[in-house]
Amino acid sequence: MTPVGPPGTSAAGPPYGGALVDRYGRVATDLRVSVTDRCNLRCTYCMPAEGLAWLPKDEVLTDDEIVRLVRVGVELLGIREVRFTGGEPLVRPGLTALVAGVAALTPRPGIAVTTNGLTLARRVGALAAAGLDRVNVSLDTLRPDRFRALTRRDRLADVLDGLEAAAASGLTRVKVNAVPMRGVNDDEACDLLSYCLERGYELRFIEQMPLDADRRWSRADMVTAEEVLASLRSRFTLTPLPGRGASPAEHFLVDGGPARVGVIASVTRPFCGDCDRTRLTADGQIRSCLFSRTEDDLRALLRGGARDEDIAAAWRGTMAAKPAGHGVNDPSFVQPSRTMSAIGG
Ligand code: SAM
Ligand code: SF4
């Protein structure tokens, strides 16, 4: 990445249009919106058993506020993809209305949800009808006892039902996200892939990142993407697919295709140089990165009566200052104070 100077400094006039461009020339077009910090699971790599101190209700953006900020992103800043996440986005009662509100924007962005799937079976029909295009469901194990230990809830069957309902609902593509952990589920990579292949789900393995509330992440316990690929190659033939673009996943054809599997090597092969993301927390803070140690308060602007243009300018400022990389592999790395569920993964 080559620094290209701060926005607005080119002699050629406003070089960046209205877009969210940073010093390194990256353009953010993919918005992650956390709609709640609450969750109905307690995954060990994310939340403590007792949960976290939830945001007070009046600090959480309302449905109208979220849609307004997404509209500013779409109309003034070039956002083209919106993903709702959390916490668990499906615990927010207004999620279907949020999807409908974003689907009504022009140009209409792609709309996706990342969910633990617990209540997906009964919600996915309405979400798809409201305009949801894609869903990612998190599933780390197919064994009920492991699921219970990992998530601290006995709900594996609900997740599997949710996946089945999502596939039946006509969504473009159902993806499954799995986080491999040493001594926990690292012997299940092949079984998870077989399960997904049989049902037409696209599986991606994500390296565990230091964003857990318990701050127990350790490099030694993290199963690397290379280890996952080695394990998969014991049962499948994997052919690398070129052209990753801004996608964090490296994709492979499985047994000649057309089915694919992905690995997201966030720690061992960071893809920060191609990052196209910007993040909005449930309490209206803009972050340029999952690992940001600073964030900017769009909620205060919004509630203070700011114009769309002023909100857009503040958002551009946050993104212009986006660091080159997440720094997880730097000796000076410090885990951000917000954890995964409070940022929006
Ligand atoms: N509750 C929803 C879910 O679990 O899909 C959405 C939010 S969750 C924070 C989003 C994704 O982040 C999930 O796929 C989850 O597995 C992943 N995740 C959570 N903590 C993580 C960590 N420490 N490292 C890597 N991925 C993590
Ligand atoms: Fe909840 Fe998702 Fe975090 Fe698990 S990973 S505790 S489902 S927010």
Side-chain angles (χ1 to χ4, degrees), residues 39 45-46 85-89 114-116 136 138 140 177 179 206-212 340-341 344-345:
C39 189
Y45 53 71
C46 183
T85 179
E88 172 48 39
T114 299
T115 171
N116 62 29
N136 287 22
S138 304
D140 302 320
N177 294 344
V179 178
I206 307 175
E207 284 180 351
Q208 191 181 353
M209 294 178 274
L211 288 169
D212 55 316
M340 187 65 126
S341 62

Side-chain angles (χ1 to χ4, degrees), residues 210-211 215 291-293 326-328 330-337:
L211 288 169
R215 295 178 182 259
F291 293 91
S292 294
R293 298 188 47 76
H326 58 43
V328 171
D330 300 344
S332 59
F333 174 74
V334 180
Q335 185 171 332
S337 50

Side-chain angles (χ1 to χ4, degrees), residues 279-323:
R279 296 174 181 275
L280 176 65
T281 65
D283 55 346
Q285 311 299 304
I286 281 289
R287 300 171 66 91
S288 61
C289 173
L290 261 181
F291 293 91
S292 294
R293 298 188 47 76
T294 59
E295 48 192 33
D296 291 304
D297 191 356
L298 293 193
R299 187 191 63 204
L301 285 178
L302 194 75
R303 294 188 181 170
R307 299 173 312 145
D308 288 353
E309 290 74 12
D310 299 328
I311 293 171
W315 197 333
R316 278 190 205 105
T318 307
M319 295 308 295
K322 180 169 171 130

Side-chain angles (χ1 to χ4, degrees), residues 206-277:
I206 307 175
E207 284 180 351
Q208 191 181 353
M209 294 178 274
L211 288 169
D212 55 316
D214 290 337
R215 295 178 182 259
R216 291 218 183 109
W217 180 89
S218 86
R219 199 168 287 272
D221 286 342
M222 180 193 71
V223 178
T224 66
E226 269 318 313
E227 289 177 275
V228 171
L229 291 171
S231 168
L232 293 178
R233 286 192 175 104
S234 70
R235 201 186 295 176
F236 304 95
T237 303
L238 303 183
T239 315
L241 281 167
R244 171 162 135 185
S247 165
E250 298 164 48
H251 289 108
F252 298 80
L253 286 181
V254 182
D255 292 339
R260 309 190 311 173
V261 65
V263 292
I264 301 183
S266 327
V267 177
T268 57
R269 288 196 291 272
F271 35 84
C272 304
D274 295 317
C275 182
D276 65 351
R277 296 192 182 165

Side-chain angles (χ1 to χ4, degrees), residues 55 65 70 111 126 135 148 164 236 301 308 341:
L55 289 167
E65 287 173 332
V70 177
I111 307 174
V135 69
R148 198 178 329 113
E164 203 179 314
F236 304 95
L301 285 178
D308 288 353
S341 62

